[in-house]
Amino acid sequence: KVQSQRNTSPTTVVPQQKPVRSKYCSTSGFVVARFDHYCVWLNTAIGYGNHRIFMVFLYTHVVANTCFLAMLIKALIRTNNKTGPAFVVGQLLSEKYFFVTVLLVYVMVVTAGLTFLMVEQTTNILRNVTTNERINQSRYAWMKGPDGRPFNR
């Protein structure tokens, strides 16, 4: 069982026995079992207790943003079906559709970032490794083979 204590000073850490894949999260102030990463969007550490729900959250947002993009693009094409794609692009650059264009670009960037994170997290799950372990692989002795090189999974 992981025991943690919130400290009044962020520089002091209560010494205690931690499970192998746990890590002290300096942002949240807790020891997190199977620590993956700290999520700034959710303002919490992602680990053993909430990684599944984080993945559901991630997949849901990727699907929702992709559907929103498809509907937005379909609505733009439907409203401007005069002469084809060139006309639609010209309309997007006009001031009439300025905010729609900004929204379209923003959602495309966010969807691309979420898709990258989803692929990275899914790859980590398939390899049975956390983001923290993958990034700090050379620092953890238990992730190295007898020759000192990281395990080849």
Short mmCIF file of all heavy atoms in Angstrom, two decimals, residues 53-121:
data_model
loop_
_atom_site.label_atom_id
_atom_site.label_comp_id
_atom_site.label_asym_id
_atom_site.label_seq_id
_atom_site.Cartn_x
_atom_site.Cartn_y
_atom_site.Cartn_z
N ILE A 53 -9.30 5.73 -16.75
CA ILE A 53 -10.27 6.79 -17.01
C ILE A 53 -9.62 7.92 -17.83
O ILE A 53 -10.28 8.57 -18.64
CB ILE A 53 -10.92 7.31 -15.71
CG1 ILE A 53 -12.18 8.11 -16.01
CG2 ILE A 53 -9.98 8.14 -14.90
CD1 ILE A 53 -13.34 7.28 -16.45
N PHE A 54 -8.32 8.14 -17.65
CA PHE A 54 -7.61 9.12 -18.47
C PHE A 54 -7.61 8.67 -19.93
O PHE A 54 -7.81 9.50 -20.83
CB PHE A 54 -6.16 9.29 -17.97
CG PHE A 54 -5.33 10.16 -18.85
CD1 PHE A 54 -5.50 11.53 -18.85
CD2 PHE A 54 -4.37 9.61 -19.70
CE1 PHE A 54 -4.73 12.35 -19.68
CE2 PHE A 54 -3.61 10.41 -20.52
CZ PHE A 54 -3.79 11.78 -20.51
N MET A 55 -7.41 7.38 -20.19
CA MET A 55 -7.43 6.88 -21.56
C MET A 55 -8.82 7.00 -22.18
O MET A 55 -8.96 7.36 -23.35
CB MET A 55 -6.93 5.43 -21.61
CG MET A 55 -5.46 5.27 -21.31
SD MET A 55 -4.39 6.25 -22.39
CE MET A 55 -4.68 5.47 -23.96
N VAL A 56 -9.86 6.73 -21.40
CA VAL A 56 -11.23 6.92 -21.89
C VAL A 56 -11.46 8.39 -22.22
O VAL A 56 -12.02 8.72 -23.27
CB VAL A 56 -12.26 6.42 -20.85
CG1 VAL A 56 -13.67 6.82 -21.23
CG2 VAL A 56 -12.15 4.92 -20.68
N PHE A 57 -11.02 9.27 -21.35
CA PHE A 57 -11.10 10.72 -21.57
C PHE A 57 -10.39 11.11 -22.86
O PHE A 57 -10.92 11.86 -23.68
CB PHE A 57 -10.47 11.43 -20.36
CG PHE A 57 -10.32 12.91 -20.49
CD1 PHE A 57 -11.39 13.76 -20.28
CD2 PHE A 57 -9.08 13.46 -20.81
CE1 PHE A 57 -11.24 15.12 -20.39
CE2 PHE A 57 -8.93 14.83 -20.92
CZ PHE A 57 -10.01 15.67 -20.72
N LEU A 58 -9.20 10.57 -23.06
CA LEU A 58 -8.40 10.90 -24.24
C LEU A 58 -9.06 10.40 -25.53
O LEU A 58 -9.21 11.17 -26.49
CB LEU A 58 -7.01 10.29 -24.07
CG LEU A 58 -5.90 10.75 -24.99
CD1 LEU A 58 -5.70 12.25 -24.87
CD2 LEU A 58 -4.61 10.04 -24.63
N TYR A 59 -9.46 9.14 -25.56
CA TYR A 59 -10.12 8.59 -26.75
C TYR A 59 -11.42 9.33 -27.05
O TYR A 59 -11.73 9.61 -28.21
CB TYR A 59 -10.39 7.09 -26.57
CG TYR A 59 -9.23 6.22 -26.93
CD1 TYR A 59 -8.33 5.80 -25.96
CD2 TYR A 59 -9.02 5.80 -28.23
CE1 TYR A 59 -7.25 5.00 -26.27
CE2 TYR A 59 -7.95 4.99 -28.56
CZ TYR A 59 -7.07 4.59 -27.58
OH TYR A 59 -6.00 3.80 -27.90
N THR A 60 -12.20 9.64 -26.02
CA THR A 60 -13.46 10.35 -26.21
C THR A 60 -13.24 11.72 -26.82
O THR A 60 -13.96 12.13 -27.74
CB THR A 60 -14.20 10.48 -24.86
OG1 THR A 60 -14.38 9.19 -24.31
CG2 THR A 60 -15.53 11.17 -25.02
N HIS A 61 -12.22 12.43 -26.33
CA HIS A 61 -11.96 13.77 -26.87
C HIS A 61 -11.44 13.72 -28.31
O HIS A 61 -11.77 14.59 -29.11
CB HIS A 61 -10.99 14.52 -25.97
CG HIS A 61 -11.68 15.21 -24.85
ND1 HIS A 61 -12.16 14.53 -23.75
CD2 HIS A 61 -12.02 16.50 -24.66
CE1 HIS A 61 -12.73 15.38 -22.95
NE2 HIS A 61 -12.67 16.59 -23.48
N VAL A 62 -10.63 12.72 -28.64
CA VAL A 62 -10.16 12.60 -30.02
C VAL A 62 -11.34 12.33 -30.95
O VAL A 62 -11.47 12.96 -32.01
CB VAL A 62 -9.08 11.51 -30.14
CG1 VAL A 62 -8.80 11.17 -31.60
CG2 VAL A 62 -7.80 11.95 -29.46
N VAL A 63 -12.23 11.42 -30.56
CA VAL A 63 -13.40 11.11 -31.39
C VAL A 63 -14.32 12.33 -31.49
O VAL A 63 -14.79 12.68 -32.59
CB VAL A 63 -14.16 9.88 -30.83
CG1 VAL A 63 -15.51 9.70 -31.49
CG2 VAL A 63 -13.32 8.64 -30.98
N ALA A 64 -14.58 13.01 -30.37
CA ALA A 64 -15.47 14.17 -30.39
C ALA A 64 -14.89 15.30 -31.25
O ALA A 64 -15.62 15.91 -32.04
CB ALA A 64 -15.70 14.67 -28.96
N ASN A 65 -13.60 15.57 -31.12
CA ASN A 65 -12.98 16.63 -31.93
C ASN A 65 -12.98 16.26 -33.41
O ASN A 65 -13.19 17.13 -34.26
CB ASN A 65 -11.56 16.91 -31.46
CG ASN A 65 -11.52 17.77 -30.24
OD1 ASN A 65 -12.54 18.15 -29.70
ND2 ASN A 65 -10.33 18.07 -29.77
N THR A 66 -12.74 14.99 -33.73
CA THR A 66 -12.76 14.56 -35.13
C THR A 66 -14.16 14.71 -35.71
O THR A 66 -14.33 15.20 -36.84
CB THR A 66 -12.27 13.11 -35.25
OG1 THR A 66 -10.98 13.01 -34.65
CG2 THR A 66 -12.19 12.67 -36.69
N CYS A 67 -15.18 14.33 -34.96
CA CYS A 67 -16.57 14.50 -35.43
C CYS A 67 -16.90 15.98 -35.60
O CYS A 67 -17.55 16.36 -36.59
CB CYS A 67 -17.54 13.85 -34.45
SG CYS A 67 -17.47 12.06 -34.43
N PHE A 68 -16.48 16.81 -34.66
CA PHE A 68 -16.73 18.25 -34.76
C PHE A 68 -16.06 18.83 -36.00
O PHE A 68 -16.67 19.63 -36.72
CB PHE A 68 -16.23 18.96 -33.50
CG PHE A 68 -16.47 20.44 -33.53
CD1 PHE A 68 -17.74 20.96 -33.38
CD2 PHE A 68 -15.41 21.32 -33.72
CE1 PHE A 68 -17.96 22.32 -33.41
CE2 PHE A 68 -15.63 22.68 -33.76
CZ PHE A 68 -16.91 23.18 -33.60
N LEU A 69 -14.82 18.42 -36.27
CA LEU A 69 -14.13 18.89 -37.48
C LEU A 69 -14.87 18.47 -38.74
O LEU A 69 -15.04 19.27 -39.67
CB LEU A 69 -12.70 18.34 -37.52
CG LEU A 69 -11.65 19.12 -36.76
CD1 LEU A 69 -10.33 18.37 -36.78
CD2 LEU A 69 -11.47 20.50 -37.34
N ALA A 70 -15.31 17.22 -38.78
CA ALA A 70 -16.03 16.71 -39.96
C ALA A 70 -17.32 17.49 -40.17
O ALA A 70 -17.64 17.88 -41.31
CB ALA A 70 -16.31 15.22 -39.79
N MET A 71 -18.07 17.74 -39.09
CA MET A 71 -19.32 18.49 -39.23
C MET A 71 -19.07 19.94 -39.64
O MET A 71 -19.82 20.49 -40.45
CB MET A 71 -20.11 18.43 -37.91
CG MET A 71 -20.71 17.08 -37.64
SD MET A 71 -21.81 17.04 -36.22
CE MET A 71 -20.70 17.41 -34.88
N LEU A 72 -18.04 20.55 -39.09
CA LEU A 72 -17.71 21.93 -39.43
C LEU A 72 -17.32 22.06 -40.90
O LEU A 72 -17.80 22.95 -41.60
CB LEU A 72 -16.59 22.44 -38.53
CG LEU A 72 -16.21 23.92 -38.64
CD1 LEU A 72 -17.40 24.80 -38.30
CD2 LEU A 72 -15.05 24.23 -37.72
N ILE A 73 -16.49 21.15 -41.36
CA ILE A 73 -16.06 21.19 -42.76
C ILE A 73 -17.24 20.90 -43.69
O ILE A 73 -17.42 21.57 -44.71
CB ILE A 73 -14.90 20.20 -43.00
CG1 ILE A 73 -13.65 20.71 -42.28
CG2 ILE A 73 -14.63 20.00 -44.47
CD1 ILE A 73 -12.51 19.73 -42.22
N LYS A 74 -18.09 19.93 -43.32
CA LYS A 74 -19.27 19.61 -44.13
C LYS A 74 -20.22 20.80 -44.20
O LYS A 74 -20.77 21.12 -45.27
CB LYS A 74 -19.98 18.39 -43.55
CG LYS A 74 -21.11 17.88 -44.38
CD LYS A 74 -21.69 16.61 -43.80
CE LYS A 74 -22.84 16.12 -44.67
NZ LYS A 74 -23.42 14.89 -44.15
N ALA A 75 -20.42 21.50 -43.07
CA ALA A 75 -21.30 22.67 -43.06
C ALA A 75 -20.72 23.80 -43.92
O ALA A 75 -21.47 24.50 -44.62
CB ALA A 75 -21.51 23.15 -41.63
N LEU A 76 -19.42 23.98 -43.87
CA LEU A 76 -18.80 25.02 -44.70
C LEU A 76 -18.94 24.71 -46.18
O LEU A 76 -19.20 25.61 -46.99
CB LEU A 76 -17.32 25.18 -44.32
CG LEU A 76 -17.04 25.92 -43.03
CD1 LEU A 76 -15.58 25.79 -42.66
CD2 LEU A 76 -17.44 27.37 -43.15
N ILE A 77 -18.76 23.45 -46.53
CA ILE A 77 -18.90 23.06 -47.94
C ILE A 77 -20.36 23.20 -48.38
O ILE A 77 -20.64 23.67 -49.48
CB ILE A 77 -18.37 21.63 -48.16
CG1 ILE A 77 -16.85 21.63 -48.00
CG2 ILE A 77 -18.77 21.09 -49.53
CD1 ILE A 77 -16.22 20.26 -48.01
N ARG A 78 -21.27 22.83 -47.51
CA ARG A 78 -22.69 22.92 -47.85
C ARG A 78 -23.13 24.37 -48.04
O ARG A 78 -23.94 24.68 -48.91
CB ARG A 78 -23.53 22.26 -46.76
CG ARG A 78 -25.00 22.19 -47.14
CD ARG A 78 -25.80 21.46 -46.10
NE ARG A 78 -25.46 20.05 -46.18
CZ ARG A 78 -25.70 19.18 -45.22
NH1 ARG A 78 -26.27 19.56 -44.11
NH2 ARG A 78 -25.38 17.91 -45.36
N THR A 79 -22.63 25.29 -47.22
CA THR A 79 -23.01 26.70 -47.35
C THR A 79 -22.37 27.36 -48.56
O THR A 79 -22.90 28.32 -49.08
CB THR A 79 -22.59 27.52 -46.11
OG1 THR A 79 -21.71 26.84 -45.32
CG2 THR A 79 -23.74 28.07 -45.37
N ASN A 80 -21.24 26.85 -48.97
CA ASN A 80 -20.50 27.45 -50.09
C ASN A 80 -20.31 26.44 -51.21
O ASN A 80 -19.20 26.19 -51.64
CB ASN A 80 -19.13 27.95 -49.61
CG ASN A 80 -19.26 28.99 -48.55
OD1 ASN A 80 -19.97 29.96 -48.71
ND2 ASN A 80 -18.60 28.77 -47.43
N ASN A 81 -21.38 25.88 -51.73
CA ASN A 81 -21.26 24.85 -52.75
C ASN A 81 -21.31 25.42 -54.17
O ASN A 81 -21.74 24.76 -55.08
CB ASN A 81 -22.34 23.79 -52.55
CG ASN A 81 -23.74 24.38 -52.64
OD1 ASN A 81 -23.91 25.57 -52.82
ND2 ASN A 81 -24.72 23.52 -52.50
N LYS A 82 -20.86 26.64 -54.35
CA LYS A 82 -20.97 27.29 -55.66
C LYS A 82 -20.00 26.72 -56.68
O LYS A 82 -20.41 26.24 -57.71
CB LYS A 82 -20.74 28.78 -55.49
CG LYS A 82 -21.65 29.37 -54.45
CD LYS A 82 -22.24 30.62 -54.90
CE LYS A 82 -23.15 31.05 -53.81
NZ LYS A 82 -23.97 31.85 -53.62
N THR A 83 -18.70 26.79 -56.40
CA THR A 83 -17.74 26.40 -57.43
C THR A 83 -16.70 25.39 -56.96
O THR A 83 -15.73 25.17 -57.67
CB THR A 83 -17.00 27.64 -57.97
OG1 THR A 83 -16.37 28.30 -56.88
CG2 THR A 83 -17.93 28.56 -58.68
N GLY A 84 -16.83 24.82 -55.80
CA GLY A 84 -15.90 23.80 -55.37
C GLY A 84 -14.96 24.24 -54.27
O GLY A 84 -15.14 25.29 -53.65
N PRO A 85 -13.93 23.44 -54.03
CA PRO A 85 -13.00 23.68 -52.91
C PRO A 85 -12.27 25.01 -52.98
O PRO A 85 -12.02 25.63 -51.94
CB PRO A 85 -12.01 22.52 -53.00
CG PRO A 85 -12.69 21.49 -53.82
CD PRO A 85 -13.63 22.20 -54.73
N ALA A 86 -11.91 25.47 -54.14
CA ALA A 86 -11.19 26.75 -54.25
C ALA A 86 -12.04 27.90 -53.74
O ALA A 86 -11.55 28.80 -53.06
CB ALA A 86 -10.76 27.00 -55.68
N PHE A 87 -13.33 27.86 -54.05
CA PHE A 87 -14.24 28.91 -53.58
C PHE A 87 -14.38 28.85 -52.05
O PHE A 87 -14.41 29.88 -51.39
CB PHE A 87 -15.61 28.76 -54.25
CG PHE A 87 -16.59 29.82 -53.85
CD1 PHE A 87 -16.49 31.09 -54.39
CD2 PHE A 87 -17.59 29.56 -52.94
CE1 PHE A 87 -17.39 32.08 -54.02
CE2 PHE A 87 -18.48 30.54 -52.56
CZ PHE A 87 -18.38 31.81 -53.11
N VAL A 88 -14.45 27.63 -51.50
CA VAL A 88 -14.59 27.46 -50.05
C VAL A 88 -13.36 28.03 -49.34
O VAL A 88 -13.47 28.74 -48.35
CB VAL A 88 -14.80 25.98 -49.68
CG1 VAL A 88 -14.75 25.77 -48.18
CG2 VAL A 88 -16.11 25.48 -50.23
N VAL A 89 -12.16 27.74 -49.85
CA VAL A 89 -10.93 28.27 -49.25
C VAL A 89 -10.92 29.79 -49.34
O VAL A 89 -10.55 30.49 -48.39
CB VAL A 89 -9.67 27.66 -49.93
CG1 VAL A 89 -8.42 28.35 -49.46
CG2 VAL A 89 -9.60 26.17 -49.65
N GLY A 90 -11.35 30.34 -50.45
CA GLY A 90 -11.43 31.79 -50.60
C GLY A 90 -12.41 32.40 -49.61
O GLY A 90 -12.14 33.46 -49.03
N GLN A 91 -13.54 31.73 -49.39
CA GLN A 91 -14.51 32.22 -48.42
C GLN A 91 -13.96 32.17 -46.99
O GLN A 91 -14.23 33.04 -46.18
CB GLN A 91 -15.81 31.40 -48.50
CG GLN A 91 -16.65 31.72 -49.70
CD GLN A 91 -17.23 33.12 -49.62
OE1 GLN A 91 -17.49 33.64 -48.55
NE2 GLN A 91 -17.42 33.73 -50.78
N LEU A 92 -13.20 31.10 -46.68
CA LEU A 92 -12.63 30.97 -45.34
C LEU A 92 -11.67 32.10 -45.03
O LEU A 92 -11.53 32.51 -43.88
CB LEU A 92 -11.91 29.63 -45.19
CG LEU A 92 -12.80 28.42 -44.97
CD1 LEU A 92 -11.95 27.16 -44.93
CD2 LEU A 92 -13.63 28.54 -43.72
N LEU A 93 -10.99 32.60 -46.03
CA LEU A 93 -10.04 33.69 -45.82
C LEU A 93 -10.71 35.05 -45.79
O LEU A 93 -10.07 36.05 -45.48
CB LEU A 93 -8.95 33.64 -46.90
CG LEU A 93 -8.10 32.36 -46.88
CD1 LEU A 93 -7.13 32.36 -48.03
CD2 LEU A 93 -7.38 32.20 -45.57
N SER A 94 -12.00 35.11 -46.10
CA SER A 94 -12.72 36.38 -46.06
C SER A 94 -13.09 36.71 -44.61
O SER A 94 -13.08 35.85 -43.73
CB SER A 94 -13.96 36.33 -46.93
OG SER A 94 -14.93 35.48 -46.34
N GLU A 95 -13.47 37.96 -44.38
CA GLU A 95 -13.80 38.36 -43.00
C GLU A 95 -15.14 37.80 -42.55
O GLU A 95 -15.40 37.72 -41.35
CB GLU A 95 -13.79 39.88 -42.87
CG GLU A 95 -14.81 40.60 -43.72
CD GLU A 95 -14.68 42.10 -43.61
OE1 GLU A 95 -13.57 42.61 -43.78
OE2 GLU A 95 -15.70 42.74 -43.32
N LYS A 96 -15.97 37.37 -43.47
CA LYS A 96 -17.27 36.79 -43.11
C LYS A 96 -17.10 35.52 -42.28
O LYS A 96 -17.86 35.25 -41.36
CB LYS A 96 -18.08 36.51 -44.37
CG LYS A 96 -19.44 35.90 -44.11
CD LYS A 96 -20.17 35.65 -45.42
CE LYS A 96 -21.50 34.99 -45.17
NZ LYS A 96 -22.20 34.66 -46.42
N TYR A 97 -16.10 34.72 -42.61
CA TYR A 97 -15.87 33.44 -41.94
C TYR A 97 -14.58 33.46 -41.09
O TYR A 97 -14.01 32.42 -40.84
CB TYR A 97 -15.77 32.31 -42.96
CG TYR A 97 -17.09 32.02 -43.63
CD1 TYR A 97 -17.33 32.45 -44.93
CD2 TYR A 97 -18.07 31.31 -42.97
CE1 TYR A 97 -18.54 32.18 -45.55
CE2 TYR A 97 -19.28 31.03 -43.58
CZ TYR A 97 -19.51 31.47 -44.87
OH TYR A 97 -20.70 31.20 -45.47
N PHE A 98 -14.17 34.63 -40.63
CA PHE A 98 -12.91 34.73 -39.89
C PHE A 98 -12.91 33.87 -38.63
O PHE A 98 -12.00 33.09 -38.38
CB PHE A 98 -12.60 36.19 -39.54
CG PHE A 98 -11.40 36.35 -38.66
CD1 PHE A 98 -10.13 36.21 -39.19
CD2 PHE A 98 -11.54 36.62 -37.31
CE1 PHE A 98 -9.01 36.34 -38.39
CE2 PHE A 98 -10.42 36.75 -36.50
CZ PHE A 98 -9.16 36.62 -37.04
N PHE A 99 -13.94 34.01 -37.80
CA PHE A 99 -13.98 33.27 -36.53
C PHE A 99 -14.15 31.77 -36.77
O PHE A 99 -13.63 30.96 -36.02
CB PHE A 99 -15.08 33.82 -35.63
CG PHE A 99 -14.75 35.18 -35.10
CD1 PHE A 99 -15.45 36.29 -35.52
CD2 PHE A 99 -13.72 35.36 -34.19
CE1 PHE A 99 -15.13 37.55 -35.05
CE2 PHE A 99 -13.39 36.61 -33.71
CZ PHE A 99 -14.10 37.71 -34.14
N VAL A 100 -14.87 31.40 -37.82
CA VAL A 100 -15.01 29.98 -38.15
C VAL A 100 -13.64 29.42 -38.56
O VAL A 100 -13.27 28.31 -38.18
CB VAL A 100 -16.05 29.79 -39.28
CG1 VAL A 100 -16.09 28.34 -39.74
CG2 VAL A 100 -17.41 30.24 -38.81
N THR A 101 -12.88 30.21 -39.30
CA THR A 101 -11.54 29.78 -39.71
C THR A 101 -10.62 29.62 -38.51
O THR A 101 -9.89 28.64 -38.40
CB THR A 101 -10.93 30.79 -40.71
OG1 THR A 101 -11.84 30.95 -41.79
CG2 THR A 101 -9.60 30.32 -41.23
N VAL A 102 -10.66 30.58 -37.59
CA VAL A 102 -9.85 30.49 -36.38
C VAL A 102 -10.24 29.25 -35.57
O VAL A 102 -9.38 28.51 -35.09
CB VAL A 102 -9.97 31.78 -35.53
CG1 VAL A 102 -9.33 31.62 -34.17
CG2 VAL A 102 -9.36 32.96 -36.27
N LEU A 103 -11.54 29.01 -35.42
CA LEU A 103 -12.02 27.83 -34.70
C LEU A 103 -11.57 26.55 -35.39
O LEU A 103 -11.12 25.61 -34.74
CB LEU A 103 -13.55 27.86 -34.59
CG LEU A 103 -14.20 26.68 -33.90
CD1 LEU A 103 -13.80 26.64 -32.43
CD2 LEU A 103 -15.71 26.75 -34.04
N LEU A 104 -11.66 26.52 -36.71
CA LEU A 104 -11.25 25.35 -37.48
C LEU A 104 -9.76 25.04 -37.27
O LEU A 104 -9.39 23.90 -36.99
CB LEU A 104 -11.54 25.58 -38.96
CG LEU A 104 -11.24 24.44 -39.92
CD1 LEU A 104 -12.18 23.27 -39.66
CD2 LEU A 104 -11.35 24.91 -41.35
N VAL A 105 -8.93 26.06 -37.35
CA VAL A 105 -7.49 25.87 -37.17
C VAL A 105 -7.19 25.42 -35.73
O VAL A 105 -6.39 24.50 -35.50
CB VAL A 105 -6.71 27.15 -37.53
CG1 VAL A 105 -5.25 27.05 -37.11
CG2 VAL A 105 -6.82 27.43 -39.02
N TYR A 106 -7.83 26.06 -34.75
CA TYR A 106 -7.62 25.70 -33.34
C TYR A 106 -7.99 24.24 -33.07
O TYR A 106 -7.23 23.50 -32.45
CB TYR A 106 -8.42 26.64 -32.44
CG TYR A 106 -8.37 26.24 -30.98
CD1 TYR A 106 -7.23 26.48 -30.22
CD2 TYR A 106 -9.44 25.61 -30.37
CE1 TYR A 106 -7.17 26.11 -28.88
CE2 TYR A 106 -9.40 25.23 -29.05
CZ TYR A 106 -8.26 25.49 -28.31
OH TYR A 106 -8.20 25.11 -27.00
N VAL A 107 -9.16 23.83 -33.54
CA VAL A 107 -9.61 22.45 -33.30
C VAL A 107 -8.70 21.46 -34.03
O VAL A 107 -8.42 20.38 -33.51
CB VAL A 107 -11.09 22.28 -33.70
CG1 VAL A 107 -11.53 20.83 -33.63
CG2 VAL A 107 -11.97 23.12 -32.81
N MET A 108 -8.21 21.83 -35.21
CA MET A 108 -7.28 20.94 -35.92
C MET A 108 -5.98 20.76 -35.14
O MET A 108 -5.47 19.64 -35.03
CB MET A 108 -6.98 21.50 -37.31
CG MET A 108 -8.14 21.36 -38.27
SD MET A 108 -7.85 22.19 -39.83
CE MET A 108 -6.87 20.97 -40.66
N VAL A 109 -5.46 21.84 -34.57
CA VAL A 109 -4.21 21.76 -33.79
C VAL A 109 -4.42 20.93 -32.52
O VAL A 109 -3.61 20.06 -32.19
CB VAL A 109 -3.68 23.17 -33.46
CG1 VAL A 109 -2.57 23.12 -32.43
CG2 VAL A 109 -3.21 23.87 -34.73
N VAL A 110 -5.52 21.18 -31.81
CA VAL A 110 -5.81 20.44 -30.58
C VAL A 110 -6.02 18.96 -30.90
O VAL A 110 -5.51 18.08 -30.19
CB VAL A 110 -7.03 21.04 -29.85
CG1 VAL A 110 -7.52 20.12 -28.74
CG2 VAL A 110 -6.70 22.40 -29.30
N THR A 111 -6.75 18.66 -31.97
CA THR A 111 -6.99 17.27 -32.35
C THR A 111 -5.69 16.57 -32.72
O THR A 111 -5.48 15.40 -32.36
CB THR A 111 -7.99 17.19 -33.52
OG1 THR A 111 -9.19 17.88 -33.13
CG2 THR A 111 -8.32 15.76 -33.87
N ALA A 112 -4.81 17.26 -33.41
CA ALA A 112 -3.51 16.67 -33.76
C ALA A 112 -2.70 16.36 -32.50
O ALA A 112 -2.11 15.27 -32.37
CB ALA A 112 -2.72 17.60 -34.68
N GLY A 113 -2.68 17.28 -31.54
CA GLY A 113 -1.97 17.05 -30.29
C GLY A 113 -2.56 15.90 -29.49
O GLY A 113 -1.84 15.06 -28.94
N LEU A 114 -3.89 15.85 -29.40
CA LEU A 114 -4.55 14.76 -28.67
C LEU A 114 -4.31 13.42 -29.35
O LEU A 114 -4.13 12.40 -28.68
CB LEU A 114 -6.05 15.04 -28.57
CG LEU A 114 -6.48 16.13 -27.60
CD1 LEU A 114 -7.96 16.39 -27.71
CD2 LEU A 114 -6.12 15.75 -26.18
N THR A 115 -4.30 13.41 -30.68
CA THR A 115 -4.05 12.17 -31.41
C THR A 115 -2.63 11.68 -31.15
O THR A 115 -2.40 10.48 -30.93
CB THR A 115 -4.28 12.37 -32.92
OG1 THR A 115 -5.63 12.83 -33.12
CG2 THR A 115 -4.06 11.09 -33.70
N PHE A 116 -1.67 12.59 -31.15
CA PHE A 116 -0.29 12.22 -30.83
C PHE A 116 -0.20 11.63 -29.43
O PHE A 116 0.43 10.59 -29.21
CB PHE A 116 0.64 13.43 -30.96
CG PHE A 116 2.04 13.16 -30.49
CD1 PHE A 116 2.92 12.44 -31.27
CD2 PHE A 116 2.46 13.61 -29.25
CE1 PHE A 116 4.21 12.17 -30.83
CE2 PHE A 116 3.74 13.36 -28.79
CZ PHE A 116 4.61 12.63 -29.59
N LEU A 117 -0.83 12.29 -28.45
CA LEU A 117 -0.82 11.79 -27.07
C LEU A 117 -1.51 10.43 -26.97
O LEU A 117 -1.03 9.53 -26.27
CB LEU A 117 -1.50 12.80 -26.15
CG LEU A 117 -1.53 12.46 -24.67
CD1 LEU A 117 -0.12 12.32 -24.10
CD2 LEU A 117 -2.31 13.53 -23.91
N MET A 118 -2.61 10.26 -27.70
CA MET A 118 -3.33 8.99 -27.68
C MET A 118 -2.47 7.86 -28.24
O MET A 118 -2.40 6.77 -27.66
CB MET A 118 -4.62 9.11 -28.49
CG MET A 118 -5.45 7.87 -28.52
SD MET A 118 -6.90 8.02 -29.57
CE MET A 118 -6.14 8.02 -31.19
N VAL A 119 -1.78 8.12 -29.34
CA VAL A 119 -0.90 7.10 -29.94
C VAL A 119 0.25 6.78 -28.99
O VAL A 119 0.60 5.61 -28.79
CB VAL A 119 -0.39 7.57 -31.32
CG1 VAL A 119 0.73 6.68 -31.83
CG2 VAL A 119 -1.53 7.62 -32.32
N GLU A 120 0.84 7.82 -28.38
CA GLU A 120 1.95 7.60 -27.45
C GLU A 120 1.50 6.77 -26.25
O GLU A 120 2.17 5.81 -25.85
CB GLU A 120 2.52 8.93 -26.98
CG GLU A 120 3.63 8.77 -25.99
CD GLU A 120 3.98 10.05 -25.25
OE1 GLU A 120 3.19 11.00 -25.27
OE2 GLU A 120 5.04 10.06 -24.63
N GLN A 121 0.36 7.12 -25.66
CA GLN A 121 -0.13 6.40 -24.49
C GLN A 121 -0.51 4.96 -24.84
O GLN A 121 -0.23 4.03 -24.07
CB GLN A 121 -1.34 7.12 -23.89
CG GLN A 121 -1.00 8.41 -23.18
CD GLN A 121 -0.24 8.14 -21.89
OE1 GLN A 121 -0.59 7.30 -21.09
NE2 GLN A 121 0.84 8.89 -21.70
#
